[in-house]
Amino acid sequence: DLIRERYTKLPFDLHELRPWYWRPCTVRILMVADGALDFSMADFGLRTLLDIIHTSPYPHVRFQITVGHRNAGVSDAAVALGEPPVTRSIKGFRFDNPDHFAGNMYDQVWLFGIDTSSAMAGGIWSGAPGENELKALSEFMDSGGGLFATGDHGALGSALCGHVPRVRTMRRWFAG
């Protein structure tokens, strides 16, 4: 609460500085999580991040947030259903589903991974986005869309993030 108070109370009203012609811009962000990560207030929840975005003291930016979880069986709280600033919540999110993702739907994609990926027989990785999903993400990045991808230490996050072109070379996702 102290941090929120420090960054939301300014010594002046920003609206006084904004001329009539300075219109707020809208940033459309897709946030996707997997495994034990979600958008609730649980131990591995990302709800505080959503709250910070919602209480941003900068009136010149508006955020439209879509959250998705790779698991279709998560609770409504896990996808922050009905919570500000979330405008859309998707369970069982897939990048190759045009109802979930298309290159012109979002300005930025934020990936929060915790699941690990392991090689299975035939060279197929478990838990990883499929070939069509990786192609959709690559096309999004090639067309100027921004991508943020994170996992924790070691192989955590490798299932969601470790196979994404360009992202897979930014850190060591897999041992060996």
Side-chain angles (χ1 to χ4, degrees):
D1 288 336
L2 182 61
I3 292 172
R4 180 176 288 131
E5 183 177 325
R6 179 184 298 161
Y7 289 104
T8 58
K9 290 187 178 181
L10 299 174
F12 52 85
D13 183 5
L14 285 174
H15 293 283
E16 294 173 8
L17 298 177
R18 185 174 67 183
W20 61 272
Y21 57 83
W22 186 17
R23 294 184 198 148
C25 70
T26 300
V27 180
R28 302 167 301 161
I29 302 173
L30 167 65
M31 297 182 185
V32 180
D34 70 2
L37 290 176
D38 63 31
F39 298 94
S40 71
M41 289 298 288
D43 285 343
F44 291 103
L46 297 163
R47 179 56 203 225
T48 301
L49 173 63
L50 294 174
D51 289 344
I52 290 169
I53 290 171
H54 181 63
T55 59
S56 170
Y58 302 103
H60 54 281
V61 179
R62 307 260 193 282
F63 295 100
Q64 285 182 350
I65 307 293
T66 298
V67 299
H69 199 282
R70 301 284 290 174
N71 183 347
V74 296
S75 69
D76 289 347
V79 290
L81 185 66
E83 299 290 337
V86 176
T87 57
R88 187 170 179 216
S89 300
I90 304 169
K91 298 176 184 180
F93 183 88
R94 295 296 178 261
F95 289 100
D96 57 356
N97 182 335
D99 290 334
H100 297 177
F101 184 77
N104 61 352
M105 292 171 76
Y106 307 104
D107 301 309
Q108 301 175 10
V109 173
W110 297 5
L111 303 177
F112 297 94
I114 196 168
D115 281 349
T116 59
S117 186
S118 59
M120 298 172 65
I124 299 170
W125 292 84
S126 64
E131 200 172 302
N132 290 335
E133 290 185 276
L134 295 174
K135 181 179 180 203
L137 270 173
S138 291
E139 290 172 356
F140 171 76
M141 290 186 288
D142 291 343
S143 67
L147 183 81
F148 169 79
T150 187
D152 202 334
H153 62 281
L156 294 177
S158 63
L160 181 59
C161 306
H163 300 277
V164 177
R166 292 198 297 259
V167 172
R168 66 180 164 221
T169 61
M170 292 182 176
R171 69 167 265 206
R172 188 174 187 173
W173 294 97
F174 308 100

